[in-house]
Amino acid sequence: MTDPDPVLRALAHPLRLRMMTLIWPGPMSAAELARELGVSHALASQHLRRLRTVGLAELAEERTRRGGRERRYRAVRGAPLSEQRDGSPLLAETLAHTLRERVAQRDPGGEGVTVDAELWVEPSVWQDVRHRLAALAMELHESARPPRTPGTERVGLSVMAFPMRDGGAAGGRTGESAQQDQSAQQDQRDQHADTEDGAGPAQDRPAPDHA
């Protein structure tokens, strides 16, 4: 895949993906995002500017704070992740990176749901489940409150559900060669995730976009 859509490029970055979640329930400034994400103000401003440029974030309010003007931004409502199709591998890589970070912070005493499946179902069943999954995700988003609101619980949610080609394992190839290709691809993804800006000590310095 070459020259991906600008919206996809903006979404396919762990920090920007987290920013979209944070500014969904209410507006936040670059300074507030920096504190919540544990990054510098400059880096938070850079990524927030990218979200604004592609129309994913918008100015919600300006207020006087400590003698200056503070601009706070909110997410533009919509479903840009669900609308992405050609860029799914790029989004999958970003979601996998984010999921690893969230799992490391999982509450060992909290209940959750873990599902992995590759199933053959009737088209009508898939369409019904797809709509219900989308409705459940929207319900959680609409119930979200600003970070650390008293009485709320922090939860993580990462979902990709989609129809697959009828080509068998690895696009129709089976056997040892397909397994080796998959293993090599996973090694490349792991190496990329380990060095991706926005993770660990490297997340505090500006980084180029994906792809």
Side-chain angles (χ1 to χ4, degrees):
M1 181 183 63
T2 59
D3 192 24
D5 183 271
V7 173
L8 173 62
R9 287 176 62 90
L11 289 171
H13 190 288
L15 273 179
R16 289 196 288 266
L17 204 57
R18 289 186 64 192
M19 279 186 173
M20 286 295 294
T21 298
L22 291 172
I23 62 177
W24 178 273
M28 296 180 70
S29 67
E32 291 171 324
L33 286 168
R35 288 193 295 270
E36 185 65 28
L37 295 168
V39 300
S40 69
H41 184 279
L43 186 59
S45 296
Q46 172 190 317
H47 287 300
L48 185 57
R49 183 166 54 251
R50 181 65 175 166
L51 293 174
R52 299 198 320 267
T53 299
V54 299
L56 291 172
E58 62 184 2
L59 180 64
E61 62 181 2
E62 289 189 54
R63 64 183 184 180
T64 302
R65 186 175 179 83
R66 298 177 181 176
R69 299 293 294 176
E70 181 183 58
R71 294 180 176 85
R72 307 180 81 222
Y73 298 86
R74 65 188 171 207
V76 174
R77 298 302 173 96
L81 286 180
S82 294
E83 294 168 1
Q84 297 296 333
R85 297 183 182 183
D86 293 340
S88 292
L90 193 58
L91 286 174
E93 181 179 340
T94 305
L95 288 174
H97 176 96
T98 302
L99 181 59
R100 282 193 292 268
E101 289 189 333
R102 287 177 178 160
V103 167
Q105 301 177 58
R106 180 172 181 171
D107 179 0
E111 296 182 331
V113 177
T114 301
V115 178
D116 179 75
E118 183 176 325
L119 310 170
W120 294 75
V121 299
E122 295 179 358
S124 60
V125 173
W126 159 241
Q127 292 301 325
D128 178 60
V129 171
R130 181 177 67 86
H131 287 302
R132 283 190 286 150
L133 283 173
L136 287 171
M138 182 57 66
E139 180 182 347
L140 273 177
H141 274 84
E142 294 297 335
S143 301
R145 299 292 177 263
R148 308 183 192 285
T149 297
T152 61
E153 182 175 9
R154 184 186 183 197
V155 299
L157 176 68
S158 297
V159 178
M160 285 191 78
F162 43 81
M164 300 174 65
R165 292 190 299 268
D166 182 10
R173 292 176 300 137
T174 59
E176 184 177 355
S177 62
Q179 294 176 358
Q180 289 175 344
D181 286 349
Q182 291 174 345
S183 177
Q185 291 171 4
Q186 182 63 54
D187 290 342
Q188 291 175 354
R189 287 195 295 269
D190 290 343
Q191 182 178 8
H192 181 70
D194 289 341
T195 59
E196 176 64 53
D197 283 347
Q203 73 177 4
D204 197 41
R205 62 176 189 269
D209 293 335
H210 283 263

